[in-house]
Amino acid sequence: MSKKLVKAIADMREEEALKLVREMVEGGSEPMAILDAARKAVDIIGQRYEEGTYFLPELMLAGEMLNQITEVIKPEMAKVPEVKRHGKVLVGTVEGDIHDIGKNIVSFMLDVNGFDVLDLGVDVSPQKFVEAIGEFQPQVVGLSGFLALAFDAMKETVEAIKTAGLRDEVKIMIGGGQVSDEVRKYTGADAYGKDAMAGVSLAKEWVGAK
Ligand code: B12
């Protein structure tokens, strides 16, 4: 079933993909397994885009499909008993970048793992992050970015947080497609998370949650 789902998403068969997801949820499949299949499909879509067989409309449809799939499995994830709230995390895709599939998964995983999440959306300016830290007072800030251009925006965001005198108030993690530990060093963030669960582990470690 999950192989069928990978193929349906990768081949842009939206209706079939959503039908399969619903069937998998009803059949008791693990929500994480469904998300994993969706991620594999996006990798294939990315390869096809790089090879020139897919173009921007396919990437956009992929984004839409991923968001719809997340909506279908959200109620299932929320059923996982998790009463204790650990702390607050501010999340956003940095300025100039509009990729949000990865960020949405990170927000969602933080939420179901007991964090109060404020998601600022995409193309978020350093100033907007600074203002939101002042208002929301998170312990952790998560910056997402998928473009090489995003590395500078991440660096500028970390610097703006520093200039505003808030750097000691928050731990900053970064992530997204091409982000690595090298990029982390360049931006001055505290850590790099390779996927959503890595983000959850970092946030838990920083707020002292088990
Ligand atoms: C889908 C997609 C799009 C969609 C985005 C839809 C959406 N709503 O997000 C659309 C069509 C809009 C798009 C647009 C563009 N895209 Co695009 N896109 C992709 C694609 C195929 C998939 C990215 C994705 O969402 N992956 C799925 C997620 C789930 O991936 P993931 O990495 O596993 O996510 C995990 C981690 O990254 C991590 N994570 C993510 N964020 C964070 C944050 C924190 C704090 C932590 C801890 C972890 C974390 O957790 C996630 C979940 O586990 C990639 C190719 C690829 N193979 O990646 C290109 C890609 C990223 N795009 C690319 C480009 C060039 C563009 C455009 C500039 C194209 C154009 N000419 O207009 C525009 C950019 C516009 C802009 N200003 O941002 C390039 C970037 C190249 C570069 N190095 O800069 C790529 C790599 C394709 C390529 N090979 O050329 N794109």
Side-chain angles (χ1 to χ4, degrees), residues 18 46 49 87 93 95 104 113 139-140 148 168 175-177 181 201 210:
L18 280 167
Y49 176 72
T93 299
E95 193 163 52
N104 292 348
N113 279 283
Q139 291 92 341
V140 180
D168 292 338
D181 200 51
S201 301
K210 297 249 160 27

Side-chain angles (χ1 to χ4, degrees), residues 42 44 48 50 70 92 132 139 143 149:
V42 176
I44 298 172
R48 290 182 185 168
E50 279 165 40
T70 318
Q139 291 92 341
L143 307 178
L149 272 173

